[in-house]
Amino acid sequence: MQGCQRTGFEIFQIKQRVGLLLRDRPAPARIPAAIGASIGLAALIGWTFNLPVLIRVLPGAVEMKVNTAACVVLCGIALWIVAGDASPARIWVARVLCFCVMFIALTTLAEYLTGWNAGIDELLVKDSANAYNLFRGRMSPISATAFVAMAGALTALPYRRVHGAVTWAATGVVVAGLVSLLGYLWNAVEIVTDRFLPPVAFNTACSLALLGTGILLSPGKTAVDAAGKFTALAALEMKILAGFIVALSLLLAGGTYTYRTTMLTAAAAEWVAHTQEVRAALASLYGSLAGAEVALRDYVLTSEAPHRNEYERSTQDIQLQLGNLRRLTADNAEQRQHVEALAALVSARLAAMTRALSTFADAGLAAAHAAMALERGARSTLEVRELTNRMVAIEERLLAARHAAMTKVRETTLVSLLATLAVACGAFAALFRGIRREMFARRRSESDLRETNRFLDSLIENLPVMITLKDADSLRFVRVNRAVERFLGSSRGQMLGRSVHDLFPADDAAAIIASDRQALESDGVVDNPDHRVHTATLGLRILHTMKMPIRDPGGRPRYLLSISTDVTERKLGEQAIQELNSALVSKAEQLTVSNRELESFSYSVSHDLRAPLRAIDGFAQMLEEDYGARLDAEGMRYLGVIRANTKRMGALIDDLLEFSRLGRLPVSAQEINVESLVREVVAEALAGRPTAPRVAIGPLPPVRGDRTLLRQVWTNLIANAIKYSGKAAEPWIEVSGRQGAAENVYSVRDNGVGFNMEYADKLFRVFQRLHRADEFSGTGVGLAIVQRVVARHGGRVWADGKVDGGAMFSFSLPARVSDG
Amino acid sequence: MDDFGAVDILLVEDSDPDAEMTTRALRKGGLVNRLVRVRDGVEALEFVFRSGPWSTRDNTQPKLILLDLKMPRLGGIDVLRRLKSDKRTQALPVVMLTSSAEEQDIAESYHLGVNSYLVKPVEFPAFVELVSQLGMYWAVMNRLPA
């Protein structure tokens, strides 16, 4: 995670940005819907209040019919509803509207197809007089078909499966609108369909194009249902689609220009040819006429039959050519008039010539000559030529005009093409920029997303807890992290797609599945702090498992997230601790029992051992009292030994009992003024003694401990000191103490007989004595008691001594007493 | 001591040597003449309540009961309890005379209402001294109800 040093807040921000990008954009489809509907509404208002500009927009153009306007408005509203995030109630409203539109459109189509007049065409408003449609008030079949397609598309919009068909239908509507529009815009006669079908009004075409585009732009429920991915795609898709539509339109426009220009050029060429034809026809007519005249003249001059044949032929030719001319000038009224005039002239001339011929045939040359001279009234060939020339001039004028028109068109086309090119470039540039920006933003969001994903992935992988994700329905593993792999000892390849039945023994798996289902039904977290599983690699493990469902936006559980921590060690530790505790408790109980047994033991010891002792001593005494007279000195000595030993045994028992008792007493902790305690003990020890040693008590620091027990310690030590210094000439005892950081040290020194350091380690043992009983009395328990008590306080005892050089007994007590 | 008449002291003691020594010490003072010794708590209660083998004795109570603690069948504590809880025998002075110096025994005895608690010394002279003083105190100094 070296490069991924993001704070939690930054991660949050990334998520925000990604979320914003993926969130639904406000439906772009609503804009064309609104515009389309308002066009329709305007038309309706126009019909109601008789405002032609709203109805037909372009002067002299086809009007938007009332039904068309109504359908446009309804479709617009339906599109608006469907394009947004609509509630089911609203969707139903949209469906009703679509149904109405469908009804109107289908009825209209039926009317066209079957010739039946359903009476819906002029239901609301009477159509205007100069309607283009044969059927008054009826919408164009193109519009009707387009409405059927639109209504169908709008109804089918929520269904993902027919999305393709919807797209096609909408595209069809758009194309219908655009084509009609283009026809209007460029007056490309060959494109507009008014030759075959009643045309679509300009505003209708606009509305159709807009509404169709709106449907295409509408993301539909598909995008809203699926994860935000679709919406994001849709936004970009729409941009690209819009770009394509623009491109298509521009292509269409450019193509239309080119086509039109080509057609016009061809037409112009035709016209040139036509003019030449006319000229040729006129020339040949003139030629024929002249030929006829020549032939006639020749005949008259020579009376040879060929000339007459020639004349006849020429006359026929003239008729043919007149017919030809008539045909050629059929389209031009002016030329036709001229042709008729020409024909009249020619006929007159021909008539004159025929008359001359017949006169010649009948009366001879002179009569013919005279007759021809009289035919001055008939138009001469000159006049024909004049007329011919005039006709040619007219033709050429027409040609020039057509040339000029074509040139103009060419120029306009060039300008328009350049303009279109410019617009196209601009549009493409904008589109490119838009797409690029979108791509860039998307790439950035993708890289942010990747970054986030990588971070999250790394987080999931590296967390020391086991994270598994199962599909909610099949409960098969969808995702596991490294900790799981390590735990189960298998790679994730072996786990993904499997269920727990493949990885754990049957009982464990059944338990896991049961808790999985429970978790899926619950709302929160199912927490099992003591989840036991048997693994292949590690045997029985105890996990702390938490499970929670992960729901999709609709609230249905999609995944089950499970987080487990291996708490085996901890649990085992806890178990061990518990076991230790119970062992301790039972040990403590045992100790209590033991102590109690010991107490009763001491009790019986004290009672049962003393009784016979008393009897021994008593009867020995009674023997002495009653039969002492009859005993000699030795006998008395024996009795003395008996009695002395009895006493000793009693003392031993007492001391032993005391030792045991002190060992069992609980050590209470209280602040003890050691100095006053020692003074007390010393006073007590010295009481009643005939000779008392000199006792010096130095300053003694106070300490925390058990007063009773420590009193015993001091008593024993001081009694010892007094006892063992008793034989000294001037016995003295010194009691001193020293306060330390961790412990206090107290000492009792005497100048008595001391002891041999060689045997120092025996000093503190029970019944161990370093002196003989006849030298010094004592059972040898005193120091053992001292050692025991001090040890129970957490301190130590030690001693220094020299034979006949006195002894010093010291003990330490910790500053803080621990309960022994 | 098959004295079926008035009894001054009832000695409840299971140990024969102890009983002998105690009796000797008490007699020595000359203060006590009439003493009955029973061997355990059951006999003691039979004596006091005049049941069993003692049902024919005089309708008088001893002036002092010396009670040992550890005895077979019924121990001293139980006898004490019986005696002190019965209205008829509540007022009878009971003195524990035992070798046990255990705090627990002392405390319990006093809780049950014992009049005095004495620990038998191990040495005989001390024992004799104790018992004679005991006799002196109870028989001479101490006042008893009629």
Side-chain angles (χ1 to χ4, degrees):
Chain A
M1 291 186 40
Q2 211 35 40
C4 198
Q5 316 265 344
R6 287 190 199 272
T7 65
F9 184 59
E10 283 179 86
I11 295 171
F12 177 63
Q13 280 183 315
I14 289 170
K15 278 205 230 151
Q16 283 271 12
R17 268 189 275 152
V18 167
L20 279 169
L21 281 168
L22 294 180
R23 209 177 56 197
D24 302 54
R25 288 269 178 73
R30 285 189 156 178
I31 302 169
I35 299 176
S38 28
I39 293 177
L41 199 61
L44 284 172
I45 295 173
W47 278 109
T48 319
F49 297 108
N50 205 8
L51 301 166
V53 67
L54 291 172
I55 308 172
R56 67 164 64 103
V57 183
L58 299 177
V62 179
E63 310 149 329
M64 182 189 250
K65 302 289 180 266
V66 175
N67 291 349
T68 318
C71 287
V72 163
V73 169
L74 293 177
C75 280
I77 297 174
L79 179 60
W80 176 280
I81 292 175
V82 169
D85 214 352
S87 62
R90 290 230 187 110
I91 297 269
W92 271 108
V93 170
R95 290 224 174 109
V96 166
L97 295 176
C98 290
F99 178 72
C100 294
V101 167
M102 187 81 87
F103 175 73
I104 296 173
L106 284 174
T107 316
T108 312
L109 278 176
E111 287 179 335
Y112 274 112
L113 291 171
T114 63
W116 158 57
N117 192 343
I120 61 164
D121 300 327
E122 291 198 295
L123 200 59
L124 294 172
V125 178
K126 281 255 174 289
D127 201 357
S128 48
N130 56 347
Y132 278 70
N133 198 330
L134 245 59
F135 306 98
R136 310 274 300 269
R138 191 181 294 182
M139 65 167 78
S140 157
I142 303 172
S143 312
T145 320
F147 281 126
V148 169
M150 247 204 300
L154 281 169
T155 316
L157 202 54
Y159 302 107
R160 220 205 276 196
R161 268 199 291 196
V162 292
H163 194 58
V166 167
T167 316
W168 277 111
T171 316
V173 170
V174 171
V175 165
L178 280 180
V179 164
S180 309
L181 263 181
L182 286 170
Y184 273 105
L185 287 172
W186 307 113
N187 212 6
V189 175
E190 293 80 6
I191 297 176
V192 152
T193 53
D194 60 355
R195 265 195 227 152
F196 311 106
L197 299 166
V200 172
F202 177 76
N203 37 3
T204 313
C206 290
S207 324
L208 287 178
L210 281 166
L211 289 173
T213 315
I215 297 179
L216 287 173
L217 287 177
S218 163
K221 262 201 162 186
T222 53
V224 175
D225 259 354
K229 225 205 295 187
F230 280 112
T231 317
L233 269 176
L236 186 60
E237 243 176 36
M238 293 315 135
K239 279 209 175 120
I240 295 176
L241 193 62
F244 273 121
I245 290 177
V246 167
L248 193 68
S249 316
L250 291 172
L251 257 173
L252 261 172
T256 315
Y257 295 132
T258 316
Y259 180 64
R260 192 159 161 265
T261 313
T262 315
M263 298 304 295
L264 285 174
T265 312
E270 268 184 43
W271 277 114
V272 167
H274 176 85
T275 308
Q276 300 301 65
E277 265 192 76
V278 167
R279 284 171 80 173
L282 285 170
S284 58
L285 177 69
Y286 184 72
S288 297
L289 192 64
E293 296 223 359
V294 166
L296 182 67
R297 202 167 296 139
D298 283 347
Y299 182 59
V300 165
L301 284 175
T302 62
S303 305
E304 280 168 8
H307 294 300
R308 189 184 174 124
N309 294 341
E310 180 68 33
Y311 174 75
E312 298 294 337
R313 218 185 7 254
S314 300
T315 319
Q316 281 168 355
D317 280 343
I318 289 170
Q319 294 305 327
L320 279 174
Q321 275 138 21
L322 273 175
N324 194 21
L325 261 175
R326 279 206 184 85
R327 187 181 48 82
L328 282 172
T329 57
D331 60 310
N332 194 316
E334 201 189 355
Q335 288 292 64
R336 267 208 309 273
Q337 278 177 322
H338 289 310
V339 165
E340 292 315 313
L342 188 64
L345 273 178
V346 167
S347 315
R349 186 82 192 97
L350 274 177
M353 281 201 292
T354 313
R355 271 200 303 276
L357 185 65
S358 62
T359 311
F360 176 72
D362 291 340
L365 180 64
H369 189 79
M372 276 200 267
L374 285 174
E375 294 282 351
R376 288 293 312 274
R379 304 294 164 94
S380 69
T381 316
L382 260 80
E383 288 176 331
V384 171
R385 205 170 69 171
E386 245 181 56
L387 189 54
T388 313
N389 288 343
R390 233 187 308 151
M391 285 183 69
V392 169
I394 292 173
E395 267 315 298
E396 287 183 344
R397 189 171 36 107
L398 280 175
L399 184 66
R402 289 205 177 97
H403 260 295
M406 207 191 76
T407 313
K408 199 158 143 275
V409 163
R410 260 216 305 268
E411 284 170 4
T412 319
T413 307
L414 187 66
V415 168
S416 308
L417 262 175
L418 287 173
T420 310
L421 211 66
V423 167
C425 287
F428 279 127
L431 190 67
F432 176 70
R433 261 190 55 214
I435 292 180
R436 192 160 151 274
R437 214 177 333 127
E438 189 86 15
M439 280 292 169
F440 185 69
R442 165 192 293 252
R443 219 179 315 142
R444 216 167 44 135
S445 78
E446 270 177 15
S447 91
D448 285 345
L449 200 62
R450 251 201 310 267
E451 194 64 38
T452 310
N453 274 350
R454 218 178 314 143
F455 168 68
L456 287 172
D457 252 349
S458 147
L459 194 69
I460 292 177
E461 283 307 311
N462 287 313
L463 276 173
V465 293
M466 295 182 275
I467 299 176
T468 66
L469 207 62
K470 293 187 209 166
D471 177 77
D473 300 317
S474 66
L475 287 182
R476 285 177 185 274
F477 287 105
V478 166
R479 175 89 196 257
V480 295
N481 73 343
R482 215 176 296 153
V484 177
E485 289 180 325
R486 262 186 268 132
F487 181 72
L488 292 176
S490 47
S491 76
R492 63 189 70 194
Q494 295 168 312
M495 287 189 255
L496 297 181
R498 300 254 161 88
S499 78
V500 286
H501 282 289
D502 303 315
L503 301 168
F504 292 107
D507 296 333
D508 291 347
I512 292 173
I513 298 273
S515 81
D516 282 352
R517 300 227 179 272
Q518 189 194 347
L520 283 172
E521 273 152 41
S522 84
D523 217 4
V525 178
V526 166
D527 190 348
N528 183 0
D530 189 12
H531 178 204
R532 286 160 196 259
V533 291
H534 296 83
T535 66
T537 49
L538 302 164
L540 172 69
R541 299 308 275 181
I542 305 173
L543 306 174
H544 184 175
T545 302
M546 290 190 274
K547 302 188 187 184
M548 63 211 86
I550 300 209
R551 301 176 189 276
D552 61 11
R556 243 175 47 88
R558 277 213 64 195
Y559 298 110
L560 181 71
L561 174 68
S562 167
I563 300 178
S564 301
T565 324
D566 190 341
V567 294
T568 318
E569 274 79 34
R570 180 159 39 103
K571 276 269 181 228
L572 290 179
E574 281 171 9
Q575 230 169 298
I577 289 172
Q578 265 171 357
E579 280 166 18
L580 261 169
N581 274 354
S582 46
L584 268 167
V585 165
S586 72
K587 261 273 149 60
E589 279 170 7
Q590 275 177 20
L591 270 167
T592 317
V593 168
S594 190
N595 269 0
R596 233 178 296 132
E597 284 174 1
L598 219 54
E599 267 192 58
S600 65
F601 170 72
S602 324
Y603 179 74
S604 44
V605 159
S606 80
H607 193 275
D608 299 334
L609 283 181
R610 280 214 187 93
L613 276 180
R614 200 178 320 109
I616 295 167
D617 193 49
F619 277 80
Q621 173 99 343
M622 281 163 32
L623 184 66
E624 196 183 305
E625 283 173 7
D626 295 351
Y627 297 94
R630 286 196 249 167
L631 274 176
D632 63 347
E634 192 64 8
M636 292 299 284
R637 191 181 67 82
Y638 289 169
L639 275 175
V641 169
I642 290 170
R643 298 199 64 202
N645 276 285
T646 313
K647 233 186 291 216
R648 181 168 171 76
M649 186 160 171
L652 278 170
I653 290 171
D654 284 341
D655 282 348
L656 201 58
L657 280 174
E658 186 64 23
F659 177 71
S660 165
R661 189 179 71 86
L662 285 177
R664 281 182 281 114
L665 274 183
V667 178
S668 63
Q670 32 179 179
E671 281 294 324
I672 301 170
N673 186 336
V674 180
E675 239 180 83
S676 68
L677 175 64
V678 167
R679 282 185 210 285
E680 231 179 85
V681 165
V682 167
E684 204 180 294
L686 294 177
R689 283 186 69 86
T691 54
R694 211 164 25 96
V695 179
I697 302 176
L700 302 169
V703 81
R704 273 180 76 84
D706 188 306
R707 196 187 168 81
T708 320
L709 293 176
L710 286 176
R711 187 176 220 282
Q712 193 67 47
V713 165
W714 284 112
T715 308
N716 289 2
L717 287 175
I718 285 164
N720 272 4
I722 295 172
K723 183 167 34 169
Y724 288 97
S725 65
K727 291 226 177 110
E730 289 200 18
W732 58 257
I733 297 167
E734 191 192 320
V735 181
S736 61
R738 187 180 72 232
Q739 179 151 41
E743 56 186 18
N744 296 346
V745 176
Y746 303 92
S747 309
V748 177
R749 232 169 69 175
D750 67 81
N751 64 342
V753 291
F755 58 89
N756 191 342
M757 277 302 283
E758 227 185 285
Y759 308 114
D761 57 322
K762 292 193 178 163
L763 268 173
F764 296 99
R765 298 220 200 118
V766 182
F767 291 155
Q768 278 287 354
R769 302 196 71 228
L770 298 184
H771 299 86
R772 296 204 308 268
D774 56 333
E775 294 174 321
F776 297 99
S777 65
T779 54
V781 152
L783 284 177
I785 288 177
V786 165
Q787 202 254 13
R788 193 139 195 228
V789 169
V790 168
R792 290 197 76 199
H793 280 73
R796 299 162 294 124
V797 290
W798 63 98
D800 287 294
K802 253 197 339 220
V803 179
D804 285 323
M808 182 168 90
F809 287 83
S810 314
F811 64 96
S812 68
L813 289 174
R816 280 230 159 276
V817 161
S818 59
D819 252 310
Chain B
M1 332 284 144
D2 294 331
D3 199 323
F4 284 70
V7 168
D8 283 334
I9 295 180
L10 174 68
L11 174 63
V12 187
E13 174 63 66
D14 63 325
S15 151
D16 285 334
D18 276 358
E20 196 176 329
M21 287 192 288
T22 309
T23 312
R24 179 188 170 104
L26 282 171
R27 285 263 162 78
K28 208 175 201 167
L31 305 161
V32 174
N33 286 321
R34 295 166 300 187
L35 178 142
V36 168
R37 183 238 165 159
V38 292
R39 306 187 77 85
D40 60 38
V42 174
E43 285 187 19
L45 288 175
E46 283 174 348
F47 182 89
V48 170
F49 292 108
R50 293 185 302 120
S51 64
W54 297 102
S55 47
T56 54
R57 74 172 182 87
D58 275 3
N59 190 9
T60 57
Q61 294 290 26
K63 292 210 173 56
L64 176 69
I65 299 176
L66 292 178
L67 202 46
D68 189 15
L69 266 181
K70 298 241 340 237
M71 295 183 288
R73 290 211 289 176
L74 201 63
I77 291 285
D78 295 309
V79 172
L80 177 64
R81 193 177 288 127
R82 268 304 304 279
L83 290 176
K84 291 299 176 183
S85 60
D86 194 317
K87 286 227 180 308
R88 297 173 287 172
T89 53
Q90 235 174 23
L92 287 176
V94 178
V95 170
M96 286 298 193
L97 185 61
T98 172
S99 50
S100 164
E102 291 294 310
E103 182 58 40
Q104 165 196 330
D105 292 325
I106 305 171
E108 200 173 353
S109 306
Y110 271 98
H111 268 115
L112 289 168
V114 77
N115 296 75
S116 178
Y117 191 102
L118 296 170
V119 176
K120 295 182 205 166
V122 178
E123 295 145 46
F124 186 63
F127 179 79
V128 169
E129 181 65 24
L130 178 83
V131 173
S132 24
Q133 283 205 28
L134 164 71
M136 172 69 86
Y137 177 79
W138 280 102
V140 177
M141 291 197 282
N142 189 44
R143 302 292 224 120
L144 296 168

